[in-house]
Amino acid sequence: MSSYNGAVPTSENGPDIHDAGDETWGSEAAQVLQRVFGYASFRQGQQEIIDHVVGGGDALVLMPTGGGKSLCYQIPALVRQGVGVVVSPLIALMQDQVDALRALGVRAGFLNSTQDYDERASVESAFLAGELDLLYLAPERLRTEATLRLLDRGKISLFAIDEAHCVAQWGHDFRPDYLALSTLHERWPDVPRIALTATATPATHAEIASRLNLEQARHFVASFDRPNIQYRIEPKNEPKRQLLKLIRAEHPGDAGIVYCLSRSSVEKIAEFLTDNGVQALPYHAGLDARTRAENQSRFLREDGLVMVATIAFGMGIDKPDVRFVAHLDLPKSVEGYYQETGRAGRDGLPSTAWLAYGLQDVVQQRKLIDTSEGDDAHRRRLGTHLEAMLALCETVECRRVRLLDYFGQRGDSCGNCDTCLTPPESWDGTVAAQKVLSTVFRLDRERRQRFGTGQIVDILLGRSTPKVLQHRHDSLTVFGVGTELGEAEWRAVVRQLLAQGLLTVEGDYGTLLLTEASSEVLGRRRQVMMRRQLHKQPQGEARAKGAKPRRMTQEDLPEEAVPVFERLRAWRAATAKEQGVPAYVIFHDATLREFAARMPSSLAELGTVSGVGENKLAKYGQEILDVLAEEGA
Ligand code: ADP
Ligand code: ZN
């Protein structure tokens, strides 16, 4: 845990590693962790945060997705007197959140607009009777006088404000409701508040603190690193085939999310995957609400489904075993990209974040920015976001180092991203850059008509296409000066010039234009280093060892444990179906893996496996022992 220096006034509020007098709370929290959740130790940062909130302090928590934020308010709610009120914007997920807690033996309930009068009334009376540990509310509830009066009549142990970045993001659907939360403290001055988010550049961090009136709170900033996620970015050639290869070679039968920019590509890709034997479902804002809810619920409940979606999908999805997140279009910002890829591997097991991007993405994104609503300042901001994303794509450095740097954190070369695993060559592309730029310059001088990448490449390669002949481009001095590279390589050069801000693109046809910086290159005052295109993805092949690719979650399980693991999964699927809850609510993959690897033979031994708390041991312990004792088929 650390705090940003300077950006936000945290230094005097920064976390102490050891608070005096926390011994008793600390041990009570540790007991709850063990007894209820079945975990032996806290993850980085959890203990400090929990101690602070148990002691009545306010907290602003910045932790990456999968970092373990929920326990930071769930445990204090269990330790403190009263009911923990959790503000969460995702009505569709409340039932699952509450089911997951109930499976642990925690008394949880929710109030939202999907309930009928009787359901609401019974939750309300449980709240008033002090029979709840946690109560989930949608933020708009807290704007109604009826809810406020209800809360007044019960005892509240804390307010947890989940997805706190909603308050900071312009145009966010939930923003007005979140803004209203800044007054919680006035009505309940003695109730601690803990706001949590996984989205936090220094600017967002500062805005959350000020909008929610949490400047005086203690700020906890965890490392944003997600070491179990392998980051890979590759050039987009045949996106469908590339995606299918990724799934078949490395993620057969795994759950994953594929992000596309448009509704129509979502539909097409989902159909393509289904036709090729990968179970996939579409999700976008154009589908009717029922289909969307149904697809989301199937994704959460069934094993190994692939969700093909626009970015409308995913916030608050806490499915722990999403094994890959693939982007088929360039994300609009690094912040968004990190949030989306962070949905992979919340359980800490190896996972993949894979992005394919090409020249066309840059053209498309620029066009979206040029035609976007809002003022110039807004468009400039969008442009800056895009440039940071492009720089990440074209870096020859470790991807993780770049990502962490974006969040104001330092990292070392990670060994688990494409640039670390197969370092790209960097080459001096200054001459190639000059050739492209001077061609663009000559075409631009004609003024009458503007040209995109295709024409530039044809000219450099000396191709007498009808369009080249029609405009007499074969008479330009640059005609045919670029035969040392092939078409794909020239396109990569253009892409990287765009990424480095040495070219820009405009209009429907992706007209290339010079920028101010271009003249430095043309005037030989600036060297341009480029990333050499990789033709292979050796790290992918290395992972998919053996003739028959294994599901990633089976990887490095001993050979004899694999069939046991599969039997446990089948048992879990049947049990989850019977109860109408997602499979992970029963047990996580990581827990099933440990059962299969350790083969416990008694209830006592079973209880020592991570993820097995008292309640689940009592409920499922014997069944697990029976499954483990079965003769393998
Ligand atoms: P976040 O909300 O930060 O994305 P979650 O609270 O959903 O993360 O936690 C991610 C996963 O890690 C969950 O499956 C959770 O059960 C697990 N987890 C959290 N804390 C611990 C811990 N101390 N030990 C083991 N697993 C943990
Ligand atoms: Zn790396």
Side-chain angles (χ1 to χ4, degrees):
M1 288 269 145
S2 66
S3 49
Y4 292 127
N5 285 333
V8 198
T10 55
S11 45
E12 73 274 27
N13 308 321
D16 309 328
I17 303 296
H18 295 291
D19 259 358
D22 281 350
E23 276 308 302
T24 47
W25 292 328
S27 59
E28 195 175 347
Q31 280 168 21
V32 172
L33 178 75
Q34 177 60 257
R35 183 167 48 80
V36 178
F37 297 90
Y39 297 141
S41 55
F42 286 110
R43 288 212 184 134
Q44 191 220 23
Q46 285 177 330
Q47 173 136 35
E48 301 160 60
I49 298 165
I50 290 169
D51 286 349
H52 180 68
V53 177
V54 167
D58 292 340
L60 173 53
V61 174
L62 278 57
M63 223 187 235
T65 314
K69 285 186 286 302
S70 331
L71 290 191
C72 296
Y73 57 84
Q74 288 167 352
I75 292 182
L78 291 170
V79 173
R80 283 176 64 88
Q81 290 287 314
V83 185
V85 174
V86 185
V87 181
S88 162
L90 304 148
I91 291 179
L93 297 169
M94 280 183 187
Q95 183 71 59
D96 285 348
Q97 288 171 327
V98 163
D99 285 345
L101 285 164
R102 288 187 180 155
L104 296 166
V106 175
R107 304 171 304 169
F110 65 85
L111 287 175
N112 71 31
S113 53
T114 65
Q115 292 162 306
D116 62 30
Y117 178 82
D118 287 345
E119 284 171 317
R120 266 208 298 271
S122 92
V123 175
E124 288 179 10
S125 67
F127 168 76
L128 293 173
E131 287 162 2
L132 287 182
D133 301 309
L134 283 153
L135 174 65
Y136 284 73
L137 291 179
E140 71 267 17
R141 289 260 133 198
L142 284 164
R143 293 174 84 178
T144 67
E145 205 35 53
T147 307
L148 296 175
R149 276 202 304 272
L150 172 76
L151 295 184
D152 270 335
R153 289 162 53 214
K155 177 151 181 54
I156 304 168
S157 60
L158 58 84
F159 285 107
I161 303 169
D162 209 2
E163 312 286 352
H165 58 275
C166 291
V167 79
Q169 282 174 2
W170 266 108
H172 204 293
D173 292 349
F174 305 111
R175 193 162 192 258
D177 297 323
Y178 267 77
L179 285 170
L181 299 177
S182 65
T183 59
L184 287 178
H185 216 39
E186 291 161 19
R187 191 158 182 141
W188 292 280
D190 300 328
V191 178
R193 296 167 301 157
I194 169 172
L196 310 102
T197 180
T199 310
T201 58
T204 313
H205 178 182
E207 195 177 348
I208 295 172
S210 96
R211 300 273 177 202
L212 289 178
N213 252 322
L214 284 169
E215 281 108 336
Q216 300 307 314
R218 197 177 273 187
H219 293 205
F220 296 88
V221 184
S223 163
F224 266 63
D225 192 11
R226 298 285 313 280
N228 60 313
I229 300 182
Q230 183 174 96
Y231 290 93
R232 282 154 46 190
I233 301 179
E234 63 180 59
K236 180 149 95 183
N237 308 313
E238 301 163 85
K240 285 190 198 155
R241 203 189 49 76
Q242 287 170 281
L243 175 67
L244 194 59
K245 183 164 165 240
L246 170 82
I247 296 176
R248 283 188 174 157
E250 299 175 56
H251 293 286
D254 280 341
I257 305 175
V258 178
Y259 282 111
C260 304
L261 205 57
S262 73
R263 297 172 186 186
S264 73
S265 45
V266 164
E267 298 276 353
K268 272 188 230 138
I269 299 292
E271 201 181 305
F272 167 78
L273 289 178
T274 308
D275 289 348
N276 283 278
V278 178
Q279 276 205 72
L281 299 169
Y283 189 103
H284 58 71
L287 293 170
D288 64 87
R290 239 195 64 205
T291 311
R292 265 201 326 258
E294 197 177 297
N295 287 358
Q296 170 168 301
S297 150
R298 280 191 60 194
F299 178 71
L300 295 176
R301 276 166 179 69
E302 294 174 31
D303 272 335
L305 280 186
V306 174
M307 185 66 109
V308 186
T310 58
I311 56 167
F313 177 75
M315 187 167 60
I317 293 286
D318 51 8
K319 185 175 168 64
D321 55 358
V322 175
R323 293 270 70 85
F324 68 92
V325 171
H327 281 87
L328 284 181
D329 293 299
L330 189 68
K332 291 188 175 70
S333 70
V334 176
E335 209 165 352
Y337 169 72
Y338 206 61
Q339 206 175 353
E340 286 143 27
T341 54
R343 291 171 189 144
R346 294 165 86 107
D347 53 10
L349 297 177
S351 309
T352 312
W354 178 87
L355 157 65
Y357 108 104
L359 193 53
Q360 198 48 41
D361 285 300
V362 188
V363 174
Q364 189 180 16
Q365 292 278 2
R366 277 276 171 222
K367 196 171 121 191
L368 285 175
I369 293 174
D370 290 342
T371 56
S372 82
E373 286 169 29
D375 55 10
D376 278 352
H378 178 63
R379 271 193 284 275
R380 264 200 305 280
R381 235 183 350 258
L382 296 178
T384 312
H385 286 318
L386 176 60
E387 278 150 27
M389 192 62 222
L390 290 173
L392 173 70
C393 291
E394 299 293 355
T395 184
V396 290
E397 275 182 89
C398 169
R399 307 276 189 204
R400 199 177 308 270
V401 167
R402 291 301 294 253
L403 285 165
L404 290 176
D405 181 60
Y406 190 79
F407 294 102
Q409 300 186 349
R410 242 202 289 281
D412 294 320
S413 287
C414 72
N416 193 24
C417 74
D418 52 358
T419 44
C420 284
L421 290 166
T422 33
E425 278 174 51
S426 80
W427 60 290
D428 185 342
T430 312
V431 173
Q434 285 165 346
K435 288 178 179 176
V436 169
L437 296 180
S438 58
T439 308
V440 172
F441 175 71
R442 289 193 164 74
L443 296 193
D444 192 34
R445 261 199 330 201
E446 294 185 10
R447 300 245 167 246
R448 268 171 294 136
Q449 198 177 345
R450 289 169 152 186
F451 301 91
T453 311
Q455 186 78 348
I456 308 280
V457 172
D458 284 342
I459 294 170
L460 287 168
L461 291 175
R463 290 172 171 163
S464 303
T465 64
K467 197 168 165 192
V468 165
L469 295 176
Q470 180 198 343
H471 297 281
R472 303 221 175 140
H473 287 162
D474 53 338
S475 66
L476 293 173
T477 52
V478 286
F479 185 73
V481 299
T483 49
E484 74 276 21
L485 299 181
E487 160 139 17
E489 288 162 310
W490 279 118
R491 286 184 169 270
V493 169
V494 172
R495 206 181 64 219
Q496 296 185 66
L497 289 172
L498 286 164
Q500 297 187 30
L502 294 169
L503 266 183
T504 181
V505 56
E506 194 185 84
D508 280 356
Y509 303 104
T511 304
L512 293 172
L513 298 172
L514 298 186
T515 67
E516 267 174 47
S518 310
S519 59
E520 292 171 24
V521 179
L522 285 167
R524 299 175 193 199
R525 294 191 305 279
R526 175 163 168 175
Q527 191 190 23
V528 186
M529 294 309 290
M530 294 199 178
R531 183 185 167 104
R532 173 94 62 203
Q533 196 147 333
L534 292 170
H535 296 287
K536 284 174 70 171
Q537 287 302 112
Q539 68 276 12
E541 278 144 38
R543 231 189 215 176
K545 44 187 173 251
K548 183 167 167 273
R550 272 184 171 197
R551 230 197 303 281
M552 215 180 216
T553 34
Q554 301 175 346
E555 206 169 279
D556 58 62
L557 261 187
E559 198 63 48
E560 66 280 5
V562 173
V564 186
F565 178 65
E566 289 305 313
R567 283 210 306 275
L568 289 166
R569 275 170 64 103
W571 167 84
R572 180 181 66 179
T575 310
K577 190 157 190 191
E578 203 178 284
Q579 300 184 14
V581 297
Y584 62 80
V585 166
I586 310 288
F587 283 119
H588 288 184
D589 279 357
T591 303
L592 297 190
R593 271 170 62 105
E594 209 177 320
F595 289 155
R598 283 176 45 188
M599 296 296 279
S601 55
S602 68
L603 285 175
E605 203 186 334
L606 203 69
T608 65
V609 173
S610 179
V612 186
E614 256 175 12
N615 207 56
K616 287 187 181 175
L617 182 65
K619 202 159 168 192
Y620 306 122
Q622 194 51 53
E623 288 181 50
I624 295 290
L625 291 178
D626 292 346
V627 175
L628 294 178
E630 264 172 42
E631 277 301 308

